[in-house]
Amino acid sequence: IGLGNPGKKYDNNRHNVGFLFIQKFAKNYSANFVLKNKLKCNYAEFVLDNVIYRMFMPTTYMNNSGEAIRAIIDWFKVDKDKLIVVVDDIAIPLGKIRVRKKGSSGGHNGLKNIINHLNSKEFLRVRIGIGSPPLIEKDKQQNTISHVLGNFSKPEKLILDKIFCQIIKSLQKLNDHNENSIICELNSFN
């Protein structure tokens, strides 16, 4: 599940790195997204080695992502330990990732909403660094919002492509390897 905000104006925002990743992942397998209103998301799937991979991009805004994830879990009758949530993180430098099986929201409103809807902090999350905004003491909050909702530059997109490829390679191994070894592999990529 990639987190982001729906709508053209957000397409290349740093906050939409989860959507950007999921779109790249789906494209690798020629999987097309369709709107599933009941699930509050765009949904695509593909089959690889007799395993169904389902990908989601919530149509709720970032801060309400938990609504879609709750709907997905209820519809597909899947345990939260089968979820992989891909999200942006301003506390991590661009080009770095952090993978955890559980933890706090770290101040990320999308993760906070998911935790509230699942009533649990235990789900796999892949945090992709978008870097922190330039320090401007005058209005830190506005500066952070502008950074997060700002678009990636071309050089930043090249960095993201490398990260996305590495994450995809690791996720493709999930059915053949222990989840902990995949987490270690992703965390060591940095």
Side-chain angles (χ1 to χ4, degrees):
I1 301 164
L3 299 191
N5 286 315
K8 275 275 187 228
K9 73 178 188 176
Y10 300 108
D11 278 354
N12 291 306
N13 285 182
R14 290 180 184 91
H15 214 24
N16 274 31
V17 78
F19 279 10
L20 294 170
F21 169 76
I22 292 295
Q23 290 165 340
K24 172 123 177 137
F25 196 16
K27 189 176 181 180
N28 278 5
Y29 295 97
S30 302
N32 296 314
F33 284 92
V34 294
L35 178 62
K36 294 287 186 185
N37 287 321
K38 284 183 181 179
L39 301 179
K40 300 181 182 183
C41 67
N42 288 299
Y43 163 72
E45 72 178 33
F46 65 92
V47 178
L48 180 66
D49 298 329
N50 296 319
V51 176
I52 298 172
Y53 289 82
R54 295 185 175 107
M55 296 163 287
F56 304 91
M57 296 186 299
T59 54
T60 60
Y61 283 84
M62 175 71 80
N63 294 353
N64 295 318
S65 298
E67 293 174 22
I69 292 177
R70 178 83 262 162
I72 291 164
I73 286 175
D74 293 346
W75 180 265
F76 287 103
K77 309 283 189 251
V78 65
D79 284 336
K80 64 184 180 311
D81 67 343
K82 297 292 182 196
L83 297 177
I84 301 173
V85 177
V86 182
V87 64
D88 65 291
D89 194 319
I90 65 169
I92 300 172
L94 180 69
K96 305 289 183 187
I97 56 175
R98 185 174 298 141
V99 183
R100 298 284 186 268
K101 287 173 107 172
K102 63 181 178 178
S104 73
S105 68
H108 193 286
N109 289 329
L111 289 175
K112 192 179 301 180
N113 191 260
I114 294 167
I115 290 167
N116 288 338
H117 276 84
L118 297 182
N119 198 26
S120 175
K121 295 179 179 180
E122 295 188 29
F123 57 91
L124 188 65
R125 74 265 336 251
V126 177
R127 293 177 179 250
I128 298 175
I130 61 169
S132 55
L135 185 61
I136 300 173
E137 288 296 323
K138 191 174 183 182
D139 191 350
K140 284 184 184 179
Q141 183 178 4
Q142 185 58 42
N143 191 37
T144 299
I145 292 168
S146 296
H147 178 71
V148 169
L149 294 180
N151 289 341
F152 285 109
S153 67
K154 285 184 181 181
E156 289 173 326
K157 283 184 181 180
L158 293 174
I159 294 168
L160 283 179
D161 268 350
K162 289 179 184 176
I163 293 167
F164 290 173
C165 288
Q166 183 61 37
I167 297 170
I168 289 168
K169 283 179 191 174
S170 295
L171 292 180
Q172 289 168 334
K173 298 176 188 175
L174 264 178
N175 293 316
D176 300 325
H177 295 82
N178 176 311
E179 182 180 89
N180 290 327
S181 68
I182 299 301
I183 291 170
C184 288
E185 178 180 315
L186 282 168
N187 283 329
S188 69
F189 173 65
N190 298 310

